[in-house]
Amino acid sequence: MRPIDYVVKLIIITVFISGPIIKAQEKNKDSLTTTWELLKYDGVSAFGGLKKTYSQPIRWQKDDFLTAGAIVTGTAVLYIFDDEANEWFRNQEDDVPMFIQDFGWYYGSPQNNYAVNGAVYLYGLFTRNEKVRRTGVLMISAATTAGIIQSILKTAVGRARPKEGAGKGDFKPFSSEPNYHSFPSGHTILSFTTAYALSKQFENPFVKAGILGVGLIPPASRLWEGAHWFTDVGLSLALSVLVVDSIDNYLKRERDYGKNEIEGISWNFQVGLGRIGITGRF
């Protein structure tokens, strides 16, 4: 299947699963506001989220330092098992259906990821729906913020990819060789940032789990291919969560997108004579 086919399908899927958000929210109350004014407001919001995240460390409190310490400690623990984890994941590659492997690659690629994020945002912009617009702003701002961080770290750290044949401790800082850009994982950061940002808009745990599960396919595919070590993926997941939460809190506190509460999806289990089923109400 051609890459463009995946992009189109990803956009359709994303807009479809965004439907519950769209139906649950009111449209922008100020009908006199032009689309251009909304676009400018959202641009400021996205950039403000980026600035807030980058400046956050200077305002860290005790709990923030404890969180950072836990992430560093967790990464160090994963490092111990990098070789064993790499061997295990590489042995699974032949058993993974090709369409899942392809999905992992295309969904985590920057151009496809931004196509999905852009589709959500533009839908909210042109339907003048505050909550969908906010979701799109969160997804785009978080992907950009985390993407810049991972691009800088990849070059600065210069860690060898597993498939290079070098060990987990082989580093060439500031190397221009792609095979020494393993840490962290760009595919993981982009895919999981988008999935986590979208999942926060739902209260139903099954919906959340489904969205997050899709977001974990690209990280797994990179491990199957030997493109990243387990620590690369683990740190990338943690980074994605921190960035999304930081920008989400900024949008709640400092930007006006109406009520922050989003109506969840209710599920009813129905049993009757000769029938059994589950009905979802959006």
Side-chain angles (χ1 to χ4, degrees):
M1 183 178 293
R2 297 172 303 167
I4 188 63
D5 295 330
Y6 280 98
V7 175
V8 173
K9 288 186 177 182
L10 287 170
I11 292 174
I12 293 174
I13 292 171
T14 304
V15 172
F16 175 76
I17 62 179
S18 299
I21 306 178
I22 297 167
K23 294 182 180 180
Q25 306 307 321
E26 296 178 350
K27 290 185 178 180
N28 193 309
K29 297 179 179 61
D30 186 2
S31 60
L32 299 178
T33 303
T34 66
T35 300
W36 174 243
E37 289 173 328
L38 294 177
L39 184 62
K40 288 192 295 183
Y41 185 87
D42 294 338
V44 172
S45 297
F47 185 65
L50 182 148
K51 290 193 302 180
K52 181 67 69 173
T53 301
Y54 288 161
S55 62
Q56 194 67 32
I58 64 176
R59 295 185 293 273
W60 276 4
Q61 303 297 321
K62 179 180 179 180
D63 289 346
D64 299 308
F65 283 105
L66 290 176
T67 299
I71 292 174
V72 172
T73 301
T75 302
V77 171
L78 291 180
Y79 182 82
I80 298 174
F81 303 101
D82 259 343
D83 287 326
E84 292 79 5
N86 175 61
E87 182 180 359
W88 187 86
F89 277 104
R90 294 299 299 277
N91 289 337
Q92 311 308 310
E93 184 176 15
D94 292 338
D95 298 327
V96 179
M98 184 56 65
F99 78 91
I100 294 182
Q101 296 186 39
D102 289 341
F103 178 86
W105 167 259
Y106 288 117
Y107 184 54
S109 298
Q111 65 273 23
N112 300 332
N113 184 268
Y114 273 98
V116 172
N117 296 347
V120 173
Y121 172 70
L122 291 176
Y123 193 98
L125 176 66
F126 291 118
T127 59
R128 304 177 72 80
N129 186 297
E130 290 180 338
K131 294 307 178 183
V132 181
R133 278 177 45 231
R134 182 189 183 281
T135 300
V137 169
L138 174 61
M139 294 165 72
I140 293 173
S141 181
T144 302
T145 302
I148 293 174
I149 294 174
Q150 66 89 19
S151 294
I152 294 174
L153 285 177
K154 274 182 179 293
T155 302
V157 175
R159 190 183 193 187
R161 299 184 186 274
K163 62 183 179 183
E164 176 68 11
K168 63 182 182 181
D170 189 10
F171 295 86
K172 287 185 180 180
F174 300 102
S175 172
S176 60
E177 301 177 46
N179 284 334
Y180 280 86
H181 288 175
S182 181
F183 186 85
S185 168
H187 276 68
T188 297
I189 284 178
L190 289 179
S191 66
F192 198 74
T193 293
T194 293
Y196 183 57
L198 187 59
S199 73
K200 289 174 72 69
Q201 314 311 315
F202 297 86
E203 294 180 356
N204 186 281
F206 298 104
V207 176
K208 282 181 176 288
I211 295 173
L212 293 176
V214 172
L216 287 172
I217 294 177
S221 71
R222 303 302 279 162
L223 292 171
W224 295 325
E225 296 173 11
H228 291 285
W229 300 94
F230 202 31
T231 44
D232 303 337
V233 170
L235 180 65
S236 299
L237 293 174
L239 180 61
S240 296
V241 171
L242 291 176
V243 168
V244 171
D245 283 346
S246 175
I247 297 175
D248 188 44
N249 290 333
Y250 160 75
L251 294 176
K252 288 179 180 177
R253 291 193 304 263
E254 302 184 33
R255 307 301 288 175
D256 182 15
Y257 285 97
K259 295 187 300 180
N260 292 318
E261 293 81 6
I262 293 180
E263 181 181 339
I265 304 174
S266 62
W267 299 91
N268 298 318
F269 185 69
Q270 300 178 337
V271 179
L273 184 61
R275 64 184 177 86
I276 182 171
I278 299 176
T279 303
R281 185 182 299 276
F282 304 123

